[in-house]
């Protein structure tokens, strides 16, 4: 058998050279995207596992070397079409500063090089290692708010079933022994991501049946979420019954990982009882079963992929480096509709959580005994550290320990006003107590003259404008009033009178670039 495989193996490994050179060239061309991915792996505990994904994928491919050695190789030229779409996705993600889209596109480029260069027989053998590479993309944190809400729901319900009275407001709640908050670290996203990556590998190595693999993965998705609910409930109960500081700080997280580790090991031990033996692959009985690699066709595909990728990078550079732009300077008006500037108000009570705007403006306004504050964050020439819409941006910063944003709703558009996102922002040592300070907030985006409350729509308009050479001019407008029964009517009166002037001020900044 060794002598039988020698000739096909030699041809196979000689053919690896073009693919390796192409992958190295792609990683160099898209080095900024690679650097962004690695930086997230380093700084985010949620995605530390991604460092293991490339070596595991390489090991999985190496396990299939005997099958690869005898597979026929035939470049597939039409795969250049999905490769072109992947380049377009990368460009759109780059223009819209949507890093996950660019990162998914890069991994897709690398994956599609296999069928493009070697055809579908090789791709079928390497299908799982290739798909496993997508675990290197740091994506999934968008589910954190929903996981937080579910964790708070289950924890509060379990406490009430246990006979403990609970007052809840958003993701914060109070029990007789103290107050608690379900923060991002309590969402269970770390457990879910780590469990799914390890579990997917476990299912591939231990099961042969697709049905059995999918059934295991469905259980696997629910298991870490429920394990996190148990963790949250038991931590609160330990704190309530003992008052022990064990539930704080490092011990809090250590307890979570110990509990999660014990439960996941138990799950794998049970699942291993239904493991299936691997069926040895049937190899051809003659050397002729493996076709020679067509050299000219292979290198033509390599050159086409390189040209396509280099052209995408050149277009991105051209759109990024147009005419030099001036620094924006937003100037708010003195007020309209009976509203005038209130010079006694110089800043919001909290720092808005929109990171690193190109310019920001603030003014307080008054009318009779009513007051409204306006804060604007203007964004130009977006990059990774400066984006109008991102997962970390919000009316209140995610790490603000004094202020919290709650009760977010959409206020429908009217004939005079666009749709706003409305919310209550509160500060107070005890939730629900009268001394807690509350503000009513309206938020809306301005994108090159258009108003929208939607994050997704804002991103799409920014990408469209950049493709047309109009730049990525955008701003967030935040209107704030003291929380009272008539605060919405106060904000509505102010917006009706002053939003046209705010639009004119933002348009003047755009036109001055």
């Amino acid at each position: 058998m060794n002598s039988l495989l020698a000739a096909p193996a030699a041809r196979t490994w000689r053919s690896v050279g073009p693919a390796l050179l192409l992958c190295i060239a792609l990683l160099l061309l898209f080095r900024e995207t690679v650097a962004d991915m690695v930086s997230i792996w380093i700084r985010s505990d949620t995605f530390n596992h991604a460092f293991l994904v490339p070596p595991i994928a390489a090991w999985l491919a190496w396990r299939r070397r005997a099958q690869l050695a005898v597979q026929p190789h035939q470049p597939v030229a039409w795969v250049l079409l999905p490769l072109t779409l992947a380049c377009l996705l990368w460009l759109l993600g780059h223009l819209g500063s949507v890093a996950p889209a660019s990162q998914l596109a890069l991994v897709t480029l690398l994956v599609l090089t296999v069928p493009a260069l070697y055809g579908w027989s090789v791709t079928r053998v390497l299908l799982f290692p290739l798909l496993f590479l997508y675990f290197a993309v740091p994506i999934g944190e968008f589910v954190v708010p929903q996981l937080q809400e579910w964790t708070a729901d289950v924890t509060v319900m379990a406490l009430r079933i246990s006979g403990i009275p609970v007052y809840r407001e958003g993701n914060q709640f109070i029990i007789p022994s103290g107050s608690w908050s379900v923060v991002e670290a309590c969402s269970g996203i770390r457990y879910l991501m780590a469990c799914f990556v390890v579990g997917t590998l476990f299912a591939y190595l231990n099961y042969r049946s697709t049905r059995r693999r999918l059934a295991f993965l469905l259980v696997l998705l629910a298991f870490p979420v429920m394990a996190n609910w148990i963790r949250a409930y038991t931590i609160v109960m330990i704190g309530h019954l003992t008052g022990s500081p064990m539930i704080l700080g490092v011990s809090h997280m250590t307890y979570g990982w110990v509990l999660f580790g014990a439960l996941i090991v138990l799950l794998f031990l049970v699942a291993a009882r239904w493991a299936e033996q691997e069926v040895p692959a049937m190899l051809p009985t003659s050397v002729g079963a493996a076709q020679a690699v067509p050299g000219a066709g292979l290198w033509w595909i390599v050159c086409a992929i390189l040209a396509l990728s280099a052209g995408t990078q050149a277009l991105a550079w051209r759109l990024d480096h147009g005419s030099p732009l001036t620094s924006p300077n937003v100037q708010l008006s003195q007020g309209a509709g009976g509203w005038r500037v209130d010079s006694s108000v110089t800043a919001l009570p909290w720092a808005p959580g929109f990171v690193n705007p190109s310019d920001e403006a603030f003014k307080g306004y008054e009318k009779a005994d009513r007051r409204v504050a306006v804060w604007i964050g203007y964004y130009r020439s977006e990059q990774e550290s400066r984006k109008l819409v991102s997962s970390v941006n919000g009316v209140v910063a995610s790490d603000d320990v004094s202020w919290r944003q709650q009760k977010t709703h959409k206020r429908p558009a009217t004939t005079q006003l666009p749709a706003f996102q409305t919310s209550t922002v509160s500060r107070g040592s005890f939730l629900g107590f009268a001394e807690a300070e509350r503000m009513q907030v309206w938020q809306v985006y301005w994108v090159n003259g258009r108003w929208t409350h939607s994050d997704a729509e804002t991103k799409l308009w920014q990408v469209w404008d950049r493709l047309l050479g109009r730049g990525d001019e955008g701003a967030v407008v935040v209107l704030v009033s003291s929380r009272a029964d008539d605060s919405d009517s106060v904000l509505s009166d102010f917006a009706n009178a002053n939003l046209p002037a705010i639009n004119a001020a933002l348009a003047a900044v755009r036109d001055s670039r």
Side-chain angles (χ1 to χ4, degrees):
M1 179 64 73
N2 289 337
S3 59
L4 179 66
L5 295 179
R11 282 199 298 273
T12 298
W13 290 116
R14 281 198 302 269
S15 70
V16 167
L20 289 177
L21 292 175
L22 177 59
C23 287
I24 292 171
L26 289 176
L27 293 175
L28 289 174
L29 282 170
F30 296 94
R31 57 190 176 276
E32 291 185 3
T33 303
V34 175
D36 289 342
M37 291 173 67
V38 174
S39 67
I40 295 174
W41 299 351
I42 293 172
R43 70 173 184 264
S44 173
D45 292 339
T46 304
F47 300 108
N48 289 158
H49 66 268
F51 280 106
L52 299 176
V53 170
I56 289 175
W59 172 72
L60 292 171
W62 176 254
R63 293 177 74 246
R64 298 294 182 184
R65 62 191 181 278
Q67 290 177 264
L68 291 172
V70 294
Q71 296 302 316
H73 298 167
Q74 182 63 49
V76 182
W78 67 262
V79 176
L80 289 173
L81 177 59
L83 280 164
T84 302
L85 296 177
C87 286
L88 177 60
L89 175 62
W90 181 90
L91 181 63
L92 295 177
H94 173 76
L95 294 179
S97 298
V98 183
S102 297
Q103 294 159 5
L104 283 170
L106 174 58
V107 174
T108 301
L109 278 174
L110 295 173
V111 168
L112 289 177
T113 59
V114 175
L117 297 182
Y118 302 117
W120 300 113
S121 295
V122 171
T123 302
R124 280 192 291 270
V125 174
L126 293 177
L127 184 60
F128 183 83
L130 291 174
L131 295 179
F132 194 78
L133 287 173
Y134 282 98
F135 282 126
V137 179
I139 190 173
E141 289 189 325
F142 61 89
V143 303
V144 167
Q146 184 62 67
L147 291 175
Q148 284 179 265
E149 185 176 346
W150 286 346
T151 302
D153 289 343
V154 173
T155 303
V156 169
M157 179 181 65
L159 289 170
R160 287 172 175 161
I161 292 174
S162 302
I164 300 174
V166 184
Y167 173 84
R168 177 183 177 184
E169 195 168 283
N171 290 331
Q172 295 82 42
F173 55 91
I174 300 174
I175 59 178
S177 60
S179 59
W180 296 82
S181 178
V182 180
V183 297
E184 291 183 11
C186 300
S187 66
I189 184 65
R190 298 174 186 175
Y191 309 137
L192 180 61
M193 297 296 294
C195 185
F196 194 63
V197 173
V198 175
T200 301
L201 183 61
F202 177 91
Y204 173 73
L205 295 175
N206 288 276
Y207 300 135
R208 308 278 77 80
S209 164
T210 301
R211 180 180 297 179
R212 190 166 295 191
R213 286 172 174 171
L214 292 177
F216 177 77
L217 290 178
L218 287 175
V219 173
L220 198 67
L221 282 174
F223 193 82
V225 175
M226 291 188 291
N228 186 60
W229 295 345
I230 296 172
R231 179 198 65 85
Y233 169 69
T234 54
I235 284 176
V236 176
M237 286 299 295
I238 291 171
H240 175 68
L241 297 175
T242 69
S244 172
M246 184 278 286
I247 47 87
L248 301 176
V250 176
S251 297
H252 180 173
M253 300 305 298
T254 302
Y255 167 73
W257 278 110
V258 169
L259 176 64
F260 169 75
L263 292 174
I264 202 66
V265 167
L266 178 62
L267 174 65
F268 285 175
L269 287 175
V270 173
R273 294 175 59 87
W274 288 276
E276 299 171 306
Q277 294 295 323
E278 184 171 7
V279 179
M282 298 299 295
L283 300 178
T285 57
S286 65
V287 174
Q291 302 173 5
V293 177
L298 183 71
W299 285 105
W300 181 86
I301 296 289
V302 169
C303 292
I305 295 174
L306 284 176
L308 182 62
S309 302
T312 303
Q313 289 291 319
L315 179 58
W317 188 91
R318 181 183 179 89
L319 293 172
D320 288 341
H321 298 81
S323 304
L325 302 177
T326 60
S327 298
N329 183 18
V330 181
Q331 297 293 330
L332 289 170
S333 71
Q334 297 302 305
W339 292 89
R340 62 179 184 274
V341 174
D342 183 357
S343 57
S344 65
V345 181
T346 58
L348 289 178
W350 71 92
F354 286 86
V355 179
N356 196 22
S358 305
D359 188 38
E360 55 185 297
F362 176 85
K363 261 190 174 63
Y365 295 88
E366 62 177 346
K367 180 180 180 182
D369 59 344
R370 300 179 292 178
R371 287 177 171 78
V372 170
V374 179
W375 181 87
I376 294 177
Y378 196 94
Y379 286 80
R380 171 179 289 172
S381 301
E382 290 193 355
Q383 50 190 270
E384 188 58 32
S385 61
R386 181 174 60 242
K387 296 189 289 187
L388 175 58
V389 176
S390 78
S391 59
V392 300
N393 281 0
V395 170
V396 178
S398 59
D399 59 353
D400 192 323
V401 297
S402 300
W403 290 85
R404 293 183 175 90
Q405 183 180 6
Q406 302 168 341
K407 299 180 180 178
T408 299
H409 303 285
K410 174 189 172 183
R411 182 185 185 276
T414 65
T415 54
Q416 292 83 21
L417 295 176
F420 282 83
Q421 178 177 288
T422 70
S423 58
T424 300
V425 174
S426 63
R427 176 178 64 181
S429 56
F430 297 96
L431 296 174
F433 280 49
E435 60 264 26
E437 185 177 357
R438 295 170 183 268
M439 301 285 183
Q440 185 73 1
V441 177
W442 286 14
Q443 173 197 324
V444 67
Y445 294 111
W446 178 93
V447 186
N448 212 353
R450 313 175 192 94
W451 296 104
T452 176
H453 76 288
S454 166
D455 290 355
E457 190 175 341
T458 298
K459 278 293 186 186
L460 290 173
W461 280 122
Q462 286 184 303
V463 171
W464 179 251
D465 286 339
R466 290 199 68 185
L467 285 173
L468 297 181
R470 300 171 181 165
D472 58 0
E473 309 289 308
V476 57
V477 178
V478 178
L479 309 180
V480 182
S481 175
S482 295
R483 186 71 170 92
D485 293 338
D486 65 341
S487 55
D488 279 326
S489 64
V490 171
L491 290 170
S492 178
D493 180 69
F494 177 85
N496 275 300
N498 290 276
L499 205 59
I502 293 174
N503 180 64
L506 296 174
V509 176
R510 174 200 62 195
D511 297 339
S512 67
R513 67 192 180 100

